[in-house]
């Protein structure tokens, strides 16, 4: 399944896509899924398969709570988010806290304040109302207060969306609750949501130009096409035929984009995927920091609820991972394993104090033209990987070991393909975790090098140019963010390419499968010389 429940656009998905600001910047694919096309044409590599829209699920925020869903073609919605554009007031958050308190939530330890009103700042955040000891629950919200696909099914819009994906149900319910105003059970929560969002999906055409060539742009364009296509189908099949339930003023494309953006920014693990996706009022007011280990924790209820839970049923909470004094801001880590481009995609920021430059390779499929496709897919399944896996490469780190093994599998053919036979199926992944043959290892390296080169060729700027933009505070926050993300993507690609180039230079120093096999049978000595002596074989 895809990494997150709020799906990304399938490759080439354009159904129902109206002209928007992304169209002015569309150019050839810009991620490894796209770069695989270049690799397929490269005479020195084995081609990857079909393209997919790469995704980075979710990950980090620049005041993730700031915005009403601006249309991607609405110039008025394109200005960088600032405190001046945030219509929410302290009264809105005080009302939310009163609602939580009235529904059994212990809100005595926390409150919401404007912690950073600067341009590109964090905006509103969660603050400790009293000292909180390390390990103590700062806030716990019972499941009865969450907004989920189940609450959508039980609402007035339930019968209309019963066959829709979970995220669509939740997005439509969010708009339904918004349309009800004060009559909604969640009115205080909806009023505390941002009316303008900072993710690239809501940037202006001029701001999107900063992202040219980057994987971040490709993913944001994929979101744009996918969400608009989904809305077009809902409008044609459901909304327009049931206007009393779905008034056009609320169930517009602009508002649907906003709902999608809210889900991407506020549904965090472990309630961010599939049917488990949920909005958790109050808990989602904490800003991100990569310097803390606190994450959302599902409390199953029962005795566990005594230690931070609300009531006896399931709840979601987060704990302080160190002592927090009264008045200090409380943070949650939105994604300990995410990279900058993933944070920027959903939240419109990258953590300034915890750099995570990287690039997401994939999804990468075994091509249909590979005569061993089925066997290779079986090997992936036995190894616990998806048929089209993703791999995150990071600057300043070696590529993940699984990527190197996958590249060997991708290029396994001819005399090496015997390792794909059924007799080896259970141990095939383990067998190719070390070099198979010099030919296979060379092609595995060249495939990755070609892919990185193809992806890098799409960027219009160099790393040093990006660094200059990112470090110049006279530039807008979004220009600096785009430069920082692009710089991190390129650094990861360059280092990945360098890693595999270095491996390629050492091919004659490696031990391959046949040598390892002979050594295991004591038919090779330490120096690689055969120990076989036919004159020591005697006949009875």
């Amino acid at each position: 399944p895809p990494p997150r429940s709020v799906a990304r656009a399938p490759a080439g998905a354009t159904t129902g896509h109206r002209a928007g600001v992304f169209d002015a910047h569309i150019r050839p694919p810009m991620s490894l899924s796209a770069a695989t096309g270049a690799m397929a044409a490269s005479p020195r590599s084995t081609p990857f398969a079909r393209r997919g829209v790469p995704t980075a699920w979710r990950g980090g925020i620049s005041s993730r709570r700031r915005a009403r869903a601006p249309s991607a073609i609405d110039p008025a919605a394109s200005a960088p988010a600032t405190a001046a554009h945030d219509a929410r007031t302290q009264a809105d958050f005080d009302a939310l806290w009163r609602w939580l308190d009235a529904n059994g939530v212990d809100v005595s330890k926390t409150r919401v304040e404007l912690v950073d009103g600067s341009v590109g700042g964090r905006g509103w955040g969660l603050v400790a109302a009293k000292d909180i000891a390390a390990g103590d629950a700062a806030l716990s919200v019972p499941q009865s207060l969450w907004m989920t696909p189940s609450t959508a099914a039980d609402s007035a819009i339930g019968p209309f969306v019963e066959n829709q994906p979970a995220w669509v149900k939740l997005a439509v319910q969010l708009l339904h609750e918004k349309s009800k105003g004060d009559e909604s059970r969640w009115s205080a929560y909806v009023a505390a949501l941002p009316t303008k969002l900072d993710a690239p999906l809501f940037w202006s055409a001029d701001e999107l130009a900063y992202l040219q060539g980057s994987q971040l742009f490709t993913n944001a364009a994929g979101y744009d096409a996918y969400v608009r296509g989904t809305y077009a189908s809902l409008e044609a099949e459901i909304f327009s035929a049931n206007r009393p339930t779905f008034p056009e003023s609320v169930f517009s494309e602009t508002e649907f984009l906003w709902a999608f953006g809210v889900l991407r920014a506020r549904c965090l693990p472990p309630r961010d995927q599939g049917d488990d996706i949920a909005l958790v009022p109050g808990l989602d007011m904490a800003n991100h920091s990569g310097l803390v280990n606190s994450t959302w924790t599902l409390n199953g209820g029962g005795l566990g609820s005594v230690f931070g839970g609300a009531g006896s049923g399931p709840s979601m909470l987060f704990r302080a991972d160190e002592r927090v004094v009264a008045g200090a801001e409380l943070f949650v880590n939105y994604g300990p394993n995410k990279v900058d481009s993933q944070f920027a995609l959903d939240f419109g920021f990258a953590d300034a104090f915890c750099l995570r430059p990287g690039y997401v390779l994939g999804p990468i499929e075994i091509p249909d033209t590979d005569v061993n496709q089925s066997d290779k897919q079986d090997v992936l399944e036995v190894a616990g990987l998806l048929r089209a896996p993703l791999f995150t490469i990071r600057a300043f780190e070696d590529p993940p070991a699984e990527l190197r093994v996958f590249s060997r599998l991708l290029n396994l053919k001819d005399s090496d393909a015997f390792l794909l036979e059924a007799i080896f199926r259970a141990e095939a992944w383990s067998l190719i975790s070390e070099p198979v043959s010099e030919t296979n290892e060379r092609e595995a390296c060249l495939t990755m090098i070609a892919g990185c080169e193809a992806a890098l060729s799409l960027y219009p700027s160099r790393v040093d140019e990006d660094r200059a933009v990112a470090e110049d505070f006279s530039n807008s926050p979004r220009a600096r963010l785009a430069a920082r993300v692009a710089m991190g993507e390129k650094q990861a690609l360059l280092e990945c390419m360098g890693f595999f180039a270095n491996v390629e230079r050492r091919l004659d120093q490696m031990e391959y499968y046949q040598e390892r096999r002979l050594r295991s049978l004591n038919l090779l000595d330490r120096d690689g010389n055969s120990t076989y002596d036919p004159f020591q074989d005697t006949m009875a």
Side-chain angles (χ1 to χ4, degrees), residues 211-481:
L211 300 177
Q212 273 300 292
S214 69
Q215 183 175 64
L216 176 56
F217 178 88
T218 299
N219 288 338
Y223 279 6
D224 185 71
Y226 180 73
V227 180
R228 291 180 190 278
T230 300
Y231 174 80
S233 297
L234 292 170
E235 170 64 19
E237 299 169 10
I238 299 174
F239 297 164
S240 62
N242 301 278
R243 281 300 177 213
T245 304
F246 304 102
E248 192 170 7
S249 60
V250 175
F251 292 89
S252 65
E253 184 182 65
T254 294
E255 292 297 304
F256 189 72
L257 281 167
W258 171 79
F260 174 86
V262 167
L263 299 190
R264 292 294 296 188
R266 308 187 83 84
C267 299
L268 299 180
R271 283 294 179 262
D272 63 332
Q273 299 189 37
D275 292 338
D276 290 333
I277 188 171
L279 288 166
V280 184
L283 212 64
D284 58 354
M285 296 298 165
N287 284 314
H288 164 80
S289 172
L291 301 178
V292 302
N293 297 316
S294 298
T295 56
W296 286 11
T297 301
L298 181 63
N299 185 334
L303 288 176
S305 65
V306 175
F307 303 98
S312 58
S315 62
M316 192 72 69
L317 59 86
F318 79 91
R319 301 181 185 278
D321 62 354
E322 62 182 9
R323 182 174 179 271
V324 180
V325 299
E329 186 174 2
L330 291 156
F331 294 99
V332 168
N333 193 321
Y334 293 165
N337 297 316
K338 304 302 180 185
V339 295
D340 289 341
S341 62
Q342 293 172 310
F343 283 101
L345 177 64
D346 292 313
F347 309 113
F349 82 87
D351 193 329
F353 300 102
C354 189
L355 298 175
R356 294 177 179 177
Y359 192 98
V360 179
L361 307 182
I364 311 173
E365 295 180 298
I366 306 297
D368 293 334
T369 54
D370 191 327
V371 296
N372 298 306
Q373 181 194 51
S374 178
D375 290 329
K376 291 181 179 181
Q377 290 174 339
D378 287 347
V379 170
L380 288 171
E381 183 178 350
V382 171
L385 274 70
L386 301 176
R387 287 192 170 191
L390 299 100
F391 304 93
T392 300
I393 57 174
R394 304 172 188 276
F396 321 122
E397 296 181 18
D398 287 345
E402 285 187 336
L403 174 60
R404 193 172 175 183
V405 181
F406 178 82
S407 192
R408 291 185 187 124
L409 177 67
L410 194 66
N411 289 278
L412 209 59
K413 60 186 177 183
D414 301 333
S415 61
D416 294 325
F418 75 93
L419 290 171
L420 297 171
E421 294 177 5
I423 191 173
F424 294 110
R425 190 58 40 83
E427 57 182 344
W429 187 262
S430 175
L431 291 174
I432 64 175
S433 64
E434 297 183 84
V436 176
S437 68
E438 185 169 344
T439 297
N440 175 263
E441 193 72 5
R442 176 178 291 106
E443 291 183 344
C445 290
L446 294 178
T447 294
M448 297 310 306
I449 292 169
C452 291
E453 287 176 339
L456 284 165
S457 71
L458 296 167
Y459 292 92
S461 59
R462 301 188 308 270
V463 169
D464 60 325
E465 294 172 329
D466 296 330
R467 182 178 289 107
V469 173
E471 295 177 353
D472 184 351
F473 282 80
S474 67
N475 293 316
S476 72
R478 289 179 177 177
R480 300 200 326 268
L481 171 64

